[in-house]
């Protein structure tokens, strides 16, 4: 009978075996961690920028550039906004260099959820489209955007295009009345001239992607303490200047602490005005110039005719110098009638052009203005603004042929039929070539809705007794739309101050 062998393991061998198993497991864990940590990264950062002209439907590019090689240029049709957003793809894609991002955003969309800018400096280099989920979110929220095969990218908002918004009825407006403000001249004082409705004074502008601060007269006066705020331009600019005086006047309890330094009364005549706010040692000034360049006379044949020296700045420009804030405007006098249809009107040097297109002359005049600014304005001291062309709302004719707007008592529902003014394009192009920073105060689109804001027949007293006379559908009632222009100016000045304090 065979003897059964017993099996036993000595303690020493068991210890060695346990050590080998434990060490193998440890090596496996370390190797796995090393693979995960040092393996190829699959996340890539992508910046997509869509730049389109405000209020101009049409093609515009999307510039795409990523830190891992994602680059390309795409254009999108029927888009009325521009935006920037940072994004991170969840998966890597070796073909991202030639990727196409699709967008399907319509001009009439009111909320887009992207950071919006007002950039017109782009060139078209391709085509693409982008579909987006649109939601109403708080200002610091983020949105989801569909990209091609179902991947999603996060859109974060950091700044806002204040020109993209809507008018909101607000019982807290107006910020002053024609009774509380003594600086409204007859042409803009619609209430005193018999206008019966009041709603046109109660609309405020609400951007879609952010909020702008309500005008605060005390804070604005602190912003301009010890400074000169100067408006330079035609009667539309005077409209805005009177609005600013009225807005600031609300913070002054003693009326004697605000006065015109030369004792002048505000009228429509040519001249200049300087109102001093004693408590803040600042002045708010207006200098009239229809074209920004010099109106002159020259001999054509045997006659001396009125001309416009588009190569010479206005003679009053010496008074603009030294201002701390300059707000320029010119547009309404550059029309067929007031420039004599361009016939023997525009002058350069000793030459009077027999005929010159108004837009060509406008561009040359703006270049003259830009040269003056670059030569005489110190950007470390002076902030320069140029306000965009403000629309008129004549229906059924022009200002001298029966045009009217008196029946309008509410803003328009949309302005999609309106083209972006060529004068605005010229101004922006000239500004971009300047060495002096100039802020383009774009109020064209938001003003286009406000057909109800004009004096119409209420630009003079006894309007009801002569309703058939010419209507004013170019200027604006006060209180009214120009108050919102100044609210935007206040917003930009505040933003500039905050930016400077962070530097």
């Amino acid at each position: 009978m065979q003897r059964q062998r017993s099996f036993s393991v000595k303690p020493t061998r068991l210890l060695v075996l346990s050590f080998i198993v434990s060490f193998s497991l440890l090596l496996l864990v370390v190797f796995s961690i090393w693979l995960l940590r040092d393996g190829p990264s699959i996340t890539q950062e992508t910046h997509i920028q869509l730049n389109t002209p405000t209020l101009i439907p049409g093609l515009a590019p999307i510039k795409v550039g990523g830190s891992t090689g994602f680059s390309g240029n795409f254009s999108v049709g029927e888009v009325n906004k521009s935006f920037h957003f940072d994004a991170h793809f969840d998966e890597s894609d070796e073909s991202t260099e030639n990727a196409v991002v699709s967008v399907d955003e319509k001009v009439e969309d009111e909320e887009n959820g992207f950071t919006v800018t007002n950039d017109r400096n782009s060139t078209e280099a391709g085509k693409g489209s982008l579909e987006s989920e649109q939601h109403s979110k708080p200002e610091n929220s983020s949105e989801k955007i569909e990209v091609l095969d179902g991947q999603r990218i996060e859109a974060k908002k950091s700044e806002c295009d204040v020109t993209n918004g809507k008018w909101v009825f607000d019982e807290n407006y107006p910020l002053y009345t024609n009774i509380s403000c003594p600086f409204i001249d007859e042409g803009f004082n619609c209430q005193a001239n018999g206008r019966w409705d009041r709603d046109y004074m109660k609309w405020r502008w609400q951007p879609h992607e952010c909020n702008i601060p309500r005008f605060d007269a005390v804070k604005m006066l602190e912003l301009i303490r010890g400074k000169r705020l100067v408006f330079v331009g035609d009667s539309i600019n005077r409209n805005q200047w009177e609005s600013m005086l009225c807005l600031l006047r609300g913070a002054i309890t003693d009326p004697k602490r605000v006065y015109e330094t030369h004792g002048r009364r505000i009228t429509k005549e040519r001249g200049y005005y300087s109102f001093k706010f004693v408590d803040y040692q600042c002045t708010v000034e207006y200098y009239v110039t229809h074209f920004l360049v010099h109106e002159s006379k020259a001999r054509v044949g045997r006659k001396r005719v009125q001309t416009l020296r588009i190569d010479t700045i206005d003679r009053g420009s010496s008074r603009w110098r030294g201002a701390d804030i300059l707000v320029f405007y010119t547009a309404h006098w550059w029309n067929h009638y007031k420039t004599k249809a361009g016939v023997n009107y525009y002058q350069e040097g000793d030459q009077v052009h027999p005929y010159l297109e108004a837009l060509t002359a406008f561009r040359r005049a703006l270049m003259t203005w830009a040269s003056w600014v670059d030569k005489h304005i110190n950007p470390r001291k002076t902030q320069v603004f140029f306000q965009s062309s403000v629309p008129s709302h004549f229906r059924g004719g022009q200002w001298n042929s029966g045009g009217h707007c008196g029946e309008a008592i509410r803003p328009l529902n949309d302005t999609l039929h309106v083209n972006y003014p060529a004068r605005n394009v010229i101004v922006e192009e000239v500004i971009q070539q300047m060495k002096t920073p100039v802020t383009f105060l774009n109020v064209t689109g938001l003003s286009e809705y406000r057909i109800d804001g004009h004096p119409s027949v209420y630009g003079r007293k006894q309007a009801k007794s002569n309703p058939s006379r010419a209507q004013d559908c170019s200027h604006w009632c006060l209180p009214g739309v120009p108050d919102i222009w100044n609210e935007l100016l206040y917003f930009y000045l505040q933003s500039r101050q905050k930016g400077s304090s962070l530097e």
Side-chain angles (χ1 to χ4, degrees), residues 153-164:
I153 52 182
E154 291 285 334
K156 297 181 180 179
K157 296 187 287 187
S158 60
E159 42 179 275
C160 175
D161 177 6
V162 296
T163 67
N164 177 27

Side-chain angles (χ1 to χ4, degrees), residues 333-345:
W333 282 67
W334 294 90
N335 62 52
H336 184 78
Y337 302 99
K338 294 182 179 181
T339 60
K340 299 182 180 179
V343 177
N344 293 328
Y345 187 68

Side-chain angles (χ1 to χ4, degrees), residues 350-364:
D350 295 329
Q351 178 188 7
V352 177
H353 295 283
Y355 176 76
L356 194 64
E357 289 284 351
L359 287 179
T360 301
F362 181 75
R363 181 182 293 275
R364 295 183 188 179

